[in-house]
Amino acid sequence: MSVLTDLIYGGSNAVAGLTENAVKEAIAKHGEDKKVAMPDTAYFLPTIYAATGVKVSKLGDLPACVGVLKSLITNKEDLGDALNAGLATAVGAEIIEALKYVESADPYGEDSGIGFVPDPIIRSLGVPLVTGDIPGVAVVLGKADDAANVVDVVKDYQSKGIMTFLIGDVIEQCVEGGVKIGLDFRVVPLGHDVTSVIHVVTVAIRAALIFGNVTPGDLPGLLAYTKERVPAFVNTFGALNEVVVSAGAGAIALGFPVVADVDLGENQVPGALESVTDHSMTVKKSLELRNIKIKVKELPIPVAFASAFEGEIIRKGDMQVEFSSHKQPTCELVQTRADGEVEDHKITIVGGDLDELEAGGTYALATFVEVAGAKMQSDFESVIERKIHAWFNYMEGVMHTGQRNQIRVRINKEAFEKGLRLTHFAEVLYAMIMDEFDIVVDKCQITMVTDAAKVQEILDGTAMPAYASRDQRLESLTDESVDVFYTCTLCQSFAPSHCCVVTPERLGLCGAVSWLDAKATKELTPTGPCQPISKEGCEDETKGVYPDVNRMVEQATQGALTKVTLYSIMEDPMTSCGCFECICGIEPFSNGVIIANREYAGMTPLGMTFGELASMTGGGVQTPGFMGHGRHFIASKKFMSAEGGFERIVWMPKELKDDVAERLNKSAKEKYGIDNFCDMIADETIATDEETLMAFLTEKSHPVLGLDPIM
């Protein structure tokens, strides 16, 4: 055999032996009926389930899986067979890792890695992956001979927004090298054992199940999906042993190229396994192999700027200063002006800059953006305004929360010491607006104000009237008041048979695309993901059946769907990609529906978790009785209105109920005359089973009890 195939088979056989022995020992210790499962997933042991269709639930299921694993290791002198042996290593790694969860509910409690990545995290990554905020996924494993090399590579990935998973001693090397680690920073340590690599493999595999509607057991379909739609690759650091090479073969079989920092000589496989010993070229080569193109934004600021820093939390003890509506007036406002009223790239600071404000203090802040453009529309102002939140958060060392006049901005000491000032905040806004909205914005000027009296003056005299005017406009925007709806096919890079239909009263199910966003996207990218849909010839106003909706959806999904209703959960409901914020499902005992959000990890009265509910829909499949949707849609008067509307909601997790309570109570009062409707809706503190739920609904005289049967 060649050196390469010899190494692969050596590793695969070693892992097979370890796996077989580990399974025998676990059964001897716990018995065949002992439950085995990865935490917070609806996909059993995902690699085995996706590849074979087998639903592993107990230890007694594993010997057969070991048999399948061993059958993949032919030891034949053929690279294709050797790559299959790499898949066997992945199966073995999954079994070994699953056995850790049999022995302990938290086997990674003493490790610096997190182990298994739960389903809700994968769903939450869907939107940034399809929008390009996360342009790719890097797997970095091993131990670098020189720690500075892996630190530089990972920081480079972080600056480009690449999601990076760490396995092995590279974790400590990165931490000691000052890399900001954690899911919030998109650099995630998984564990030190080589078998921990399976936890990133299952991220890719579950993407196929969640978003791609790949049928469990369809191995060719699975491999095609991961190769074509999951932009992942592997970097190894340090000497390679047989198990690492075999794991790398499994990655290659999934379509993920491997870049090693040792000279592999004739054992390289162009496009799949390549050596890059010059670490300054590692990132470039890795991105090229996966055809990942990153638009580099050169900004004149002294800190890094990338989506990877969006989740950064700055504690009070680490902050230089903050601007907060809790103690001072604040506002963020974008307004359209005539061409002659705007001086392009004019930046004005009114009041003290960061170096003129006392450290640790809380101050006022107005961010006032004025734009001019021949194609600019007032409806686009709020779309640009909402982006301020993301753009400020992309700056390393900056935390931004809220919007409009309810905001908090914190700057940490490290960013301040690097020279970050308010001028740089304005430079970021200017650069991003002119980059992302250049089709409609010709000129842009920015004023940053920290003088409290002047901020109050802007707030009272300009911002609040503008917000009020917009609110009136938004309240008047109903599905009946507009001439067109819009498609949104952003998620088709992951879910090819899904298409959202966005209306004024039903935003995209991811919660990120409103009707105004879709309208702006159409202006900015005329041939892009948001295309207008005519409302002519409505066939059923109650269910929301429109001929052009059906035509556009059929066209957008290449015939996968032929009919969609906008307001029904029972008849041809809208499909989901998998990154929905919430899922709604029928609760038959009460004749109502329950809603669970992806952050909720507990049990619902249907006897299923969010993940289990979500596994029944997604990937562009229509599932009558179940529907993915955004949080905001819950209080819409169009919410499953064909079946009676939100009057049928009987249960929600408390966090979700509290979040939507104000809007839902208002809508319920207006539509049904019900006061404090949310008090009639149960949550997990009240009931997680049908009997207790029914008792609560009866006690509260919930209106659902008097409605016609939903089925």
Side-chain angles (χ1 to χ4, degrees), residues 193-207:
D193 295 338
V194 174
T195 51
S196 298
V197 75
I198 195 61
H199 298 311
V200 69
V201 170
T202 70
V203 169
I205 286 172
R206 279 176 289 158

